[in-house]
Amino acid sequence: MLLNTASAVISFLTKLEEETAKFYADLAQKYPEGKETFTFFSRDNQKNKNMLERAYYGVITDALEACFSFKEGLNPEAYKVETKIAEEASYLDALNIALKMEENIHKAYTDAASLSEALMADVPQTLIKIANKRNERISKLKTLIKG
Amino acid sequence: MAILEEPIKEILMVKNYIGGEWVESKGELIDVVNPATCKVIAKVPISTKDELDEAVKAAKKAFPEWRKTPPLARARCLFRLKQLMEERFEELSRIQTMEHGKTIDESRGETRRGIENVEVATGIPSLMMGYNLEDVAFGIDEYVIRQPLGVFGIIGPFNFPFMVPLWFAPYAVATGNCIIIKPSSEDPISQMKVAEMVEEAGFPPGVWNVVNGGRTVVSAMLEHPDIVGICFVGSTPVARDVIYKKCGETGKRVIAQGGAKNFLLVMPDADLERTIAACMTSFYGNTGQRCLSGANLVIVGEGLGEHEYNQFYKKVVNAFVDAASKIRVGYGLDETVQMGPLRDKEKKERVTRFIETGIKEGAKLTLDGRKVKLVGEWPRDCFLNPTVFEDVTPDMTIGREEIFGPVASIMRARSLDEAIEMIHGNSYGNAASIFTSSGKWARDFRYRVQCGNIGINIGIVAPMAFFPFSGMKQSFFGILHGQGQEAIRFFTESKVVIERWF
């Protein structure tokens, strides 16, 4: 099922933010060495969710192409994230899972922004902003993995 | 994709809101039906003349105190109303989808547009200011004061049950008037919810009243000597022959917005991908049930030779038909649905008759929306899919009359002049758009076209709340328009004071 409307895409991305917020909150409890980073990520996810909702609910009008902005649509299957951590997983395993997840989410935001470019005004701009934030996370996680 | 949760779980009994009280009507009750599911979601009364009279009495009683209430205090009521609308944004939006059929994106867009009018009206302390000039003669000053007039009637259409009454109501009460809203009996729930929030926001009893019903209530409003003005949005015959005419006879102020037949021009230098996306919203958004919907798509061959024009024409038509055929039709609470049903079965039948007429008159049916294909299992009573006609000429019924449904009529014009002549040959003048990369063509279009709302690379030319919602020719009857500064002028009298002190 392709996500072809603003409502469907925003719901999908919002859900991603919620799931990853919980994921990082769990990691923060499990791995004291990464507590600070994971807690920051978890709180930042909530901010991202708020940004998404503000961009959508704040500017949507009946006149914008909300139902028709996402061209052929976004395939949610392409951005599936793994948020389960095995009981015996090490800190390094957790960082690698987080990295993979962030790369997927970054792609979801970038693709959604490019699909809706120029038609939804504030929405693609916000999507790019969050994609950039996710990119910073990717760098941070890579640094942590390298040790 | 899962259907969003419906906010209406059991059949609602719609009541009138008169003098700050929820009043049961003595009138007959009729069903409000969700057009996607065909389930009854509410019962609305067809109120009597006496009930309208009661509302006018309550409004008239409230007026002297309300007009004395400082504009800042009136604005604070509106601030609270806005806050409540924001808190209930999602509920309000889903209700619109349930009672009207539009998609959830469209409903949220409508909710936002409505709230924007409340926001603009909160600026009333500045908006309502008069002006002055000292020393118009030696020692003599002159100034203008804007004063409210009394009780206004607002008659809402079915296609925007939440937003359209808010083109007028916030400005009317902000300026110190009292109002009576008659929502469309087809989808009255939104205005009942608005009245609930009005009550919670602390508007004094009688300032904001809602009387549900049909023609009886409208006639009573038009005849009532204590109603000083009417705001109406609906069809042209009613706007022109009933509302405007009667208001003229009885000396009421009037804003009467009628129908439309909007032309969208695609020039050879248009950005086709974006143009097509904008056209989908324009022609098929709200299932074509809006006075700003695209109706006639004119493919203009300005500067092209015969062969080039034919190629350009085919390219636009193919892209348009391809996009239209992919539109997902179904229940608007499914987030992946892009077009909902018509408001009711009769409206679907009316649109179907237009399609049949188009075929009879020789237009080419390129995409037949009568072959209904839905996302999900829903009764098909009110659904149509997008329809596209080619080879339509301006004199054909489908090229001339308002269809108010998801039907696009594609026309050919060899030049911009010819396309503008087509627009001017039509009796309506609500909106027109041009899609082009040329500033010259765009300027020419904006300058010459006799329509109230002009779009340049815009599919739905919906003015923001701080601009008037314009309209010309058979699309608008009156002088001042709804929204923004013009609404402030409509709802106030300009009193001139010339002052000299001995």
Side-chain angles (χ1 to χ4, degrees), chain A residues 5 7 11 56-57 67 71, chain B residues 105 108 112 273 335 338:
Chain A
T5 66
S7 180
S11 286
Y56 172 65
Y57 285 98
C67 288
K71 296 180 191 167
Chain B
D105 270 322
R108 289 173 186 150
R112 178 56 58 210
E273 194 183 321
E335 289 181 290
Q338 295 167 300

Side-chain angles (χ1 to χ4, degrees), chain B residues 119-130 146 171 484-485 488:
Chain B
E119 287 170 355
V120 172
T122 59
I124 200 64
S126 308
L127 292 170
M128 205 178 164
M129 280 179 186
R146 292 198 171 124
Y171 305 100
Q485 277 287 1
I488 303 295

Side-chain angles (χ1 to χ4, degrees), chain B residues 388-493:
Chain B
V388 181
F389 275 107
E390 282 183 80
D391 300 334
V392 180
T393 53
D395 57 320
M396 287 181 183
T397 307
I398 58 166
R400 198 178 66 232
E401 292 183 16
E402 184 175 42
I403 299 174
F404 227 56
V407 179
S409 297
I410 300 182
M411 298 176 168
R412 292 170 183 258
R414 292 308 311 271
S415 66
L416 181 57
D417 284 347
E418 188 187 337
I420 292 175
E421 269 175 41
M422 283 178 174
I423 298 173
H424 290 167
N426 193 275
S427 61
Y428 295 107
N430 210 39
S433 293
I434 186 169
F435 288 86
T436 180
S437 304
S438 159
K440 183 186 178 299
W441 285 338
R443 200 260 177 193
D444 208 17
F445 184 82
R446 168 180 65 77
Y447 190 82
R448 289 168 58 193
V449 169
Q450 292 159 23
C451 286
N453 304 290
I454 296 292
I456 295 169
N457 297 316
I458 297 287
I460 295 288
V461 199
M464 297 294 286
F466 27 88
F467 286 98
F469 193 106
S470 192
M472 291 181 183
K473 293 160 73 181
Q474 294 294 300
S475 295
F476 179 76
F477 304 90
I479 297 168
L480 294 166
H481 302 87
Q483 298 197 145
Q485 277 287 1
E486 289 206 18
I488 303 295
R489 285 177 59 202
F490 179 79
F491 289 114
T492 55
E493 186 60 270

Side-chain angles (χ1 to χ4, degrees), chain B residues 9-24:
Chain B
K9 309 272 187 222
E10 51 192 45
I11 296 176
L12 289 175
M13 300 303 284
V14 177
K15 290 181 181 173
N16 292 335
Y17 183 63
I18 299 173
E21 302 286 335
W22 290 95
V23 186
E24 263 183 46

Side-chain angles (χ1 to χ4, degrees), chain B residues 57-329:
Chain B
K57 211 184 282 177
K60 199 180 168 192
K61 191 178 163 201
F63 177 62
E65 277 303 308
W66 183 240
R67 73 153 287 190
K68 272 193 265 174
T69 305
L72 200 59
R74 297 200 295 256
R76 294 219 166 107
C77 288
L78 288 163
F79 273 116
R80 288 194 290 274
L81 178 61
K82 176 207 152 40
Q83 186 54 37
L84 291 164
M85 286 174 165
E86 294 287 1
E87 285 165 15
R88 293 173 68 176
F89 190 100
E90 190 59 15
E91 178 201 353
L92 290 167
S93 303
R94 291 185 192 184
I95 285 172
Q96 287 158 51
T97 295
M98 289 186 75
E99 68 175 342
H100 175 274
K102 60 185 69 188
T103 68
I104 189 62
D105 270 322
E106 289 165 347
S107 294
R108 289 173 186 150
E110 181 176 350
T111 307
R112 178 56 58 210
R113 287 261 175 182
I115 293 174
E116 280 164 2
N117 278 284
V118 179
E119 287 170 355
V120 172
T122 59
I124 200 64
S126 308
L127 292 170
M128 205 178 164
M129 280 179 186
Y131 49 95
N132 62 71
L133 186 68
E134 285 184 330
D135 297 318
V136 291
F138 188 78
I140 300 177
D141 305 328
E142 186 166 336
Y143 49 99
V144 166
I145 304 167
R146 292 198 171 124
Q147 294 189 328
L149 292 143
V151 182
F152 281 84
I154 297 168
I155 302 162
F158 80 86
N159 60 339
F160 286 95
F162 176 81
M163 175 184 74
V164 168
L166 297 175
W167 285 352
F168 313 108
Y171 305 100
V173 297
T175 46
N177 298 286
C178 297
I179 55 166
I180 298 154
I181 297 175
K182 190 211 81 68
S184 166
S185 55
E186 294 175 39
D187 41 19
I189 305 167
S190 292
Q191 287 308 312
M192 186 178 92
K193 295 291 164 188
V194 170
E196 283 173 11
M197 290 179 278
V198 162
E199 186 180 27
E200 201 179 333
F203 283 84
V207 170
W208 189 303
N209 305 277
V210 180
V211 178
N212 292 284
R215 285 180 188 171
T216 306
V217 174
V218 172
S219 298
M221 274 186 176
L222 291 169
E223 295 286 350
H224 205 294
D226 290 331
I227 289 187
V228 295
I230 296 284
C231 303
F232 170 87
V233 177
S235 71
T236 290
V238 179
R240 180 189 57 212
D241 303 333
V242 181
I243 306 293
Y244 187 61
K245 193 176 166 206
K246 197 73 195 168
C247 286
E249 284 169 15
T250 55
K252 296 186 198 316
R253 291 189 172 202
V254 62
I255 292 174
Q257 291 180 222
K261 190 74 181 174
N262 304 316
F263 287 70
L264 272 70
L265 274 50
V266 184
M267 302 302 286
D269 61 351
D271 177 327
L272 202 53
E273 194 183 321
R274 291 176 185 175
T275 299
I276 295 301
C279 282
M280 291 305 107
T281 301
S282 183
F283 285 85
Y284 303 116
N286 219 38
T287 323
Q289 300 168 110
R290 59 178 159 202
C291 61
L292 291 173
S293 280
N296 294 336
L297 183 77
V298 187
I299 302 172
V300 185
E302 179 79 46
L304 301 180
E306 187 70 28
H307 178 65
E308 281 173 303
Y309 176 57
N310 285 335
Q311 280 185 324
F312 171 59
Y313 175 87
K314 274 184 199 153
K315 199 174 156 190
V316 177
V317 171
N318 288 344
F320 188 97
V321 173
D322 181 54
S325 64
K326 288 177 183 159
I327 288 176
R328 291 166 60 84
V329 183

